[in-house]
Amino acid sequence: MATATRNVKAIIPLLDRVLVQRVKAQQKTSSGILIPEKSLESLNEGEVISVGKGALDKHGKHVPNQVKPGDRVLLPSYGGNTVKVGEEEYTLFRDSEILAKIEEK
Amino acid sequence: MATATRNVKAIIPLLDRVLVQRVKAQQKTSSGILIPEKSLESLNEGEVISVGKGALDKHGKHVPNQVKPGDRVLLPSYGGNTVKVGEEEYTLFRDSEILAKIEEK
Amino acid sequence: MATATRNVKAIIPLLDRVLVQRVKAQQKTSSGILIPEKSLESLNEGEVISVGKGALDKHGKHVPNQVKPGDRVLLPSYGGNTVKVGEEEYTLFRDSEILAKIEEK
Amino acid sequence: MATATRNVKAIIPLLDRVLVQRVKAQQKTSSGILIPEKSLESLNEGEVISVGKGALDKHGKHVPNQVKPGDRVLLPSYGGNTVKVGEEEYTLFRDSEILAKIEEK
Amino acid sequence: MATATRNVKAIIPLLDRVLVQRVKAQQKTSSGILIPEKSLESLNEGEVISVGKGALDKHGKHVPNQVKPGDRVLLPSYGGNTVKVGEEEYTLFRDSEILAKIEEK
Amino acid sequence: MATATRNVKAIIPLLDRVLVQRVKAQQKTSSGILIPEKSLESLNEGEVISVGKGALDKHGKHVPNQVKPGDRVLLPSYGGNTVKVGEEEYTLFRDSEILAKIEEK
Amino acid sequence: MATATRNVKAIIPLLDRVLVQRVKAQQKTSSGILIPEKSLESLNEGEVISVGKGALDKHGKHVPNQVKPGDRVLLPSYGGNTVKVGEEEYTLFRDSEILAKIEEK
């Protein structure tokens, strides 16, 4: 579903939720030929846009999340809540659902 | 289902429940043309109307909720208990089901 | 199912159970015209008739319930155990299933 | 299923189990006319015959049950283990499944 | 399934498991007439053959079982692991699944 | 599924896992007549080949397993992870899934 | 699904996740004859490529994983998240899902 807001920066995830934007598959080959959309491979790599303060432990304190804004992450192939902000699609995952960070050196 | 009361202010959520009213999709385009109802995109953005005192921890104390009346929030696309008060529809979610706050600056 | 007893006051809920009677939809319009039963809107508002002592915590103490006899409450649209006492129908919910109190001022 | 024993007093429930006999619906109207069996309303009221020592808490102590032999109780419409002793049918519930006591004054 | 062993005494249940042999329904009426096998009522009464040391609590200690070898017990009508030793059939239940003891005086 | 290794001794179970080989049903009667494979009764008796260090308790310590290599054990008729090493088939169970030890004296 | 990255070393598993590459079945017999792909037996043996810091205990500390990079491991036949990096396929398991280590001496 969509939001009325058109500004993704306005979205502040709660608790252990993490707002992610999936990396889009390249629509051109390296030689510049356009790949038709239905041939594009789906990618489960994304960029963290924003994160909540972390889930509450039993003393009522926030447990810090494992990922932070700007992190490249590996996403599970199921789950998450998809939200459309303006023309872009984002997904909210729980921090513990994020499989891995991707750190190119 | 509906309530006998016609006054939403009379509804005091219990524990970690949060009473939310969904934002309605605009029924006119920016140039003023009326959009037929079936073309309106469903929105998962809402406004918090009232909140409970919070769930009980194991010592019997209320854990404060993450959202407060007046907050703009991002709602999950499933779940919640819908209630009709007069002609308006509201939904009760648990505080931990609310995905994010929306804070336009 | 029904009870042999015909006196609802004889029913003492156990633990965190709450005995509720649903508010009946008005069978006449404000101008006095009778509404046929199948047109009556189902209501999820009820009155608490009696409550148990509360669920047991891990020390074996009763955790007081959130609602008390006489409270107007908002009920979930599913769940509960329905019981017929004489000609009247009642429902037993767990205290934590009650969505909200309704306090008209 | 049935037991080999024909004496219900020989059955000693374990832990938080409660042996209950359902109250039978009256088979005659107040004016003495016999009601055919298929017209009898099923009742969810019963009498507690015997109870276990209570479930074990994490220190290995028995948590006393809420009901005791002789109590009239309101039963859930599902669940329980039915056992036939001689010609009579009984049901074993867990103590926490019993909805309410029925105390006619 | 069956075991290679033909000696039930060799089976030492682990933790909270209880080895039970169901009481067989009488195959003759009191006047000595043979009841055909398909007319025999299934019985949920059994005799405890052997028991484990009990489940482990969180300190790693065995919590003693409620039943002991030789006890007559009331069995649930579902569950358990059936094992054939020689020509005889036995069932392993968890101690907490046993509904009641049967103590004829 | 199979392993690349052909040496079962190389398999070191982790945590509370137990590597078991099922006892094979005898393929000859006592008088030496060969029983065709499809007539062989399936057996749920096995021999423990190796065990892990035990599950971790909440302090991060290993809770010792109930069975040890060489034990004859009674297996549940469902569950476990089957693995083929060379031509032989083995099954990994969790220690708490093992029903009983079998100790012929 | 695939990743945009083509470098598996860039993938840093989070918490108790373990990145594994399955051992491929040999495509030639020992005498050098090529086995057609559909005849290759599926293997549940893999090599650990990288591991997370471990799940968090209730004090917020990482519980070390049971396996480390380079370990040969026995994999369950179900579960895990498969990810394609470049032309190679990898699977992420939780540490506790790994059945055994394989240590050829």
Side-chain angles (χ1 to χ4, degrees):
Chain A
M1 284 204 281
T3 52
T5 188
R6 297 184 73 79
N7 173 14
V8 73
K9 298 235 162 124
I11 297 178
I12 316 292
L14 289 170
L15 298 166
D16 59 338
R17 287 196 182 78
V18 172
L19 186 70
V20 174
Q21 185 169 32
R22 277 181 194 278
V23 171
K24 284 163 196 162
Q26 283 178 297
Q27 293 189 309
K28 285 184 185 173
T29 64
S30 52
S31 54
I33 296 165
L34 204 79
I35 302 168
E37 194 151 341
K38 66 177 179 187
S39 302
L40 285 170
E41 197 167 11
S42 175
L43 292 179
N44 59 347
E45 188 173 329
E47 188 188 334
V48 177
I49 304 301
S50 52
V51 303
K53 289 178 191 167
L56 294 176
D57 67 14
K58 64 176 190 175
H59 306 293
K61 288 197 178 162
H62 291 287
V63 180
N65 289 316
Q66 303 286 313
V67 299
K68 57 182 195 301
D71 280 354
R72 279 265 164 159
V73 289
L74 191 62
L75 303 170
S77 46
Y78 50 85
N81 277 276
T82 300
V83 58
K84 205 173 156 193
V85 184
E87 293 309 303
E88 295 291 322
E89 209 170 82
Y90 299 86
T91 311
L92 280 139
F93 287 97
R94 293 189 172 271
D95 181 63
S96 62
E97 291 172 334
I98 305 292
L99 298 174
K101 291 190 197 184
I102 297 171
E103 299 184 359
E104 309 273 9
K105 276 149 216 168
Chain B
M1 283 204 283
T3 51
T5 188
R6 297 184 71 82
N7 174 15
V8 73
K9 298 233 163 126
I11 297 177
I12 316 294
L14 289 170
L15 298 167
D16 59 338
R17 288 196 182 78
V18 172
L19 185 71
V20 174
Q21 185 169 32
R22 277 181 193 279
V23 171
K24 285 163 196 162
Q26 282 180 299
Q27 293 189 309
K28 285 184 186 174
T29 64
S30 52
S31 54
I33 294 165
L34 204 80
I35 301 168
E37 194 151 340
K38 66 180 178 185
S39 302
L40 286 171
E41 197 167 11
S42 175
L43 292 180
N44 60 348
E45 188 172 328
E47 188 187 335
V48 177
I49 305 298
S50 51
V51 303
K53 290 179 191 167
L56 294 176
D57 66 14
K58 65 176 188 174
H59 306 294
K61 288 197 178 161
H62 291 288
V63 180
N65 289 316
Q66 303 288 310
V67 299
K68 57 181 195 302
D71 280 355
R72 280 266 163 157
V73 290
L74 192 62
L75 303 170
S77 46
Y78 51 84
N81 276 276
T82 300
V83 57
K84 205 173 156 194
V85 184
E87 292 309 304
E88 295 291 321
E89 209 169 82
Y90 299 86
T91 311
L92 280 139
F93 287 97
R94 292 188 172 271
D95 181 63
S96 63
E97 291 173 333
I98 305 291
L99 298 173
K101 291 190 198 185
I102 298 171
E103 299 184 358
E104 309 274 9
K105 275 148 215 169
Chain C
M1 282 205 282
T3 52
T5 187
R6 298 184 71 82
N7 173 14
V8 73
K9 297 233 163 125
I11 298 177
I12 316 293
L14 289 170
L15 299 168
D16 59 337
R17 287 195 184 80
V18 172
L19 185 71
V20 174
Q21 184 168 31
R22 278 182 193 277
V23 171
K24 284 163 196 163
Q26 282 178 298
Q27 293 188 310
K28 285 185 187 175
T29 64
S30 52
S31 54
I33 295 165
L34 202 81
I35 301 167
E37 195 152 338
K38 66 180 179 186
S39 303
L40 286 171
E41 197 167 11
S42 174
L43 292 179
N44 60 348
E45 188 172 329
E47 188 187 334
V48 177
I49 305 299
S50 52
V51 303
K53 289 179 190 168
L56 294 176
D57 66 14
K58 65 177 188 173
H59 306 294
K61 288 197 180 162
H62 291 287
V63 180
N65 288 315
Q66 303 288 310
V67 298
K68 56 181 196 303
D71 279 355
R72 280 266 162 156
V73 290
L74 192 61
L75 304 169
S77 46
Y78 51 85
N81 276 276
T82 300
V83 57
K84 204 173 156 194
V85 183
E87 292 310 302
E88 296 290 320
E89 209 170 82
Y90 299 86
T91 311
L92 280 139
F93 287 97
R94 292 189 172 271
D95 181 63
S96 63
E97 292 172 332
I98 305 291
L99 299 173
K101 291 190 197 183
I102 298 172
E103 299 183 358
E104 308 274 7
K105 276 148 213 170
Chain D
M1 283 205 282
T3 52
T5 187
R6 298 184 71 82
N7 174 15
V8 74
K9 296 233 162 127
I11 297 177
I12 316 292
L14 289 170
L15 298 168
D16 58 338
R17 287 195 184 80
V18 171
L19 185 71
V20 174
Q21 184 169 30
R22 278 183 193 277
V23 171
K24 284 163 194 161
Q26 283 178 298
Q27 292 188 310
K28 285 185 186 173
T29 64
S30 52
S31 54
I33 296 164
L34 202 81
I35 302 167
E37 195 153 337
K38 67 179 180 186
S39 303
L40 286 172
E41 197 168 10
S42 174
L43 292 179
N44 60 347
E45 189 172 329
E47 189 187 333
V48 176
I49 304 300
S50 52
V51 303
K53 288 180 192 167
L56 294 176
D57 67 15
K58 64 176 188 174
H59 305 294
K61 288 199 179 160
H62 291 287
V63 180
N65 289 317
Q66 303 288 311
V67 299
K68 56 181 195 305
D71 280 356
R72 279 266 161 155
V73 290
L74 192 62
L75 304 170
S77 46
Y78 51 85
N81 277 275
T82 300
V83 58
K84 204 172 155 194
V85 183
E87 292 309 302
E88 296 290 320
E89 208 170 83
Y90 299 86
T91 312
L92 280 139
F93 287 97
R94 291 187 173 272
D95 181 63
S96 64
E97 291 172 333
I98 306 291
L99 298 173
K101 291 190 196 181
I102 298 173
E103 299 184 357
E104 307 274 8
K105 277 148 213 170
Chain E
M1 283 204 282
T3 52
T5 187
R6 296 184 72 82
N7 173 15
V8 73
K9 296 234 162 126
I11 298 178
I12 316 292
L14 289 170
L15 298 167
D16 58 337
R17 286 195 184 79
V18 172
L19 185 70
V20 174
Q21 184 170 29
R22 277 182 195 277
V23 171
K24 284 162 194 163
Q26 284 177 296
Q27 291 187 310
K28 284 185 186 173
T29 64
S30 51
S31 54
I33 296 164
L34 203 82
I35 302 168
E37 196 153 337
K38 66 179 180 186
S39 302
L40 286 171
E41 197 168 9
S42 173
L43 292 180
N44 59 349
E45 189 172 330
E47 188 186 333
V48 176
I49 304 300
S50 52
V51 304
K53 289 181 191 166
L56 294 176
D57 67 14
K58 64 177 189 174
H59 305 295
K61 289 199 179 159
H62 291 287
V63 180
N65 289 317
Q66 303 288 310
V67 298
K68 56 182 194 306
D71 280 356
R72 280 266 162 155
V73 290
L74 191 62
L75 304 169
S77 45
Y78 51 85
N81 277 275
T82 299
V83 58
K84 204 172 155 194
V85 183
E87 292 309 304
E88 296 289 320
E89 209 171 82
Y90 299 87
T91 312
L92 280 139
F93 287 97
R94 292 187 172 273
D95 180 64
S96 64
E97 291 172 334
I98 305 291
L99 298 174
K101 291 190 196 180
I102 298 173
E103 299 183 357
E104 308 274 7
K105 278 149 213 170
Chain F
M1 283 204 282
T3 52
T5 186
R6 297 184 72 81
N7 173 14
V8 73
K9 297 235 163 125
I11 298 178
I12 316 291
L14 289 170
L15 298 167
D16 58 338
R17 286 194 184 81
V18 172
L19 185 71
V20 174
Q21 185 169 30
R22 278 183 193 276
V23 171
K24 284 162 194 161
Q26 284 178 295
Q27 291 187 310
K28 284 185 187 174
T29 64
S30 51
S31 54
I33 296 165
L34 204 80
I35 301 168
E37 196 153 338
K38 66 179 179 187
S39 302
L40 285 172
E41 197 168 10
S42 174
L43 292 180
N44 59 347
E45 189 171 328
E47 189 187 333
V48 177
I49 304 301
S50 52
V51 304
K53 289 180 191 166
L56 294 176
D57 67 13
K58 64 176 190 175
H59 306 294
K61 289 199 178 158
H62 291 287
V63 180
N65 288 317
Q66 303 287 311
V67 298
K68 55 182 195 304
D71 280 354
R72 280 266 162 155
V73 289
L74 191 63
L75 303 169
S77 46
Y78 50 84
N81 276 275
T82 300
V83 58
K84 205 173 155 193
V85 183
E87 292 309 304
E88 296 289 321
E89 209 171 82
Y90 299 87
T91 311
L92 280 138
F93 286 98
R94 293 187 171 272
D95 180 64
S96 63
E97 290 172 334
I98 306 292
L99 298 173
K101 291 191 196 181
I102 298 172
E103 299 183 358
E104 309 273 8
K105 276 149 215 171
Chain G
M1 282 204 282
T3 52
T5 186
R6 298 183 72 80
N7 173 14
V8 73
K9 297 235 163 124
I11 298 178
I12 316 291
L14 289 170
L15 298 167
D16 58 339
R17 286 195 184 79
V18 172
L19 186 71
V20 174
Q21 184 169 32
R22 278 181 193 277
V23 171
K24 284 162 195 162
Q26 283 178 295
Q27 293 188 310
K28 284 184 186 174
T29 65
S30 50
S31 54
I33 297 164
L34 204 81
I35 301 168
E37 195 152 339
K38 66 178 180 188
S39 303
L40 286 170
E41 197 168 11
S42 175
L43 292 180
N44 59 347
E45 189 172 328
E47 188 187 334
V48 177
I49 303 302
S50 51
V51 304
K53 290 180 192 167
L56 293 176
D57 67 14
K58 64 176 190 174
H59 306 293
K61 288 197 178 159
H62 291 287
V63 181
N65 289 316
Q66 303 286 312
V67 298
K68 57 182 194 302
D71 279 355
R72 280 266 162 156
V73 290
L74 191 62
L75 303 170
S77 47
Y78 50 85
N81 277 276
T82 300
V83 58
K84 204 173 156 194
V85 183
E87 293 309 304
E88 295 290 322
E89 209 170 82
Y90 300 87
T91 311
L92 281 139
F93 287 97
R94 293 188 171 271
D95 180 64
S96 63
E97 291 172 334
I98 306 292
L99 298 174
K101 291 190 197 183
I102 298 172
E103 298 184 359
E104 308 273 8
K105 276 149 216 169

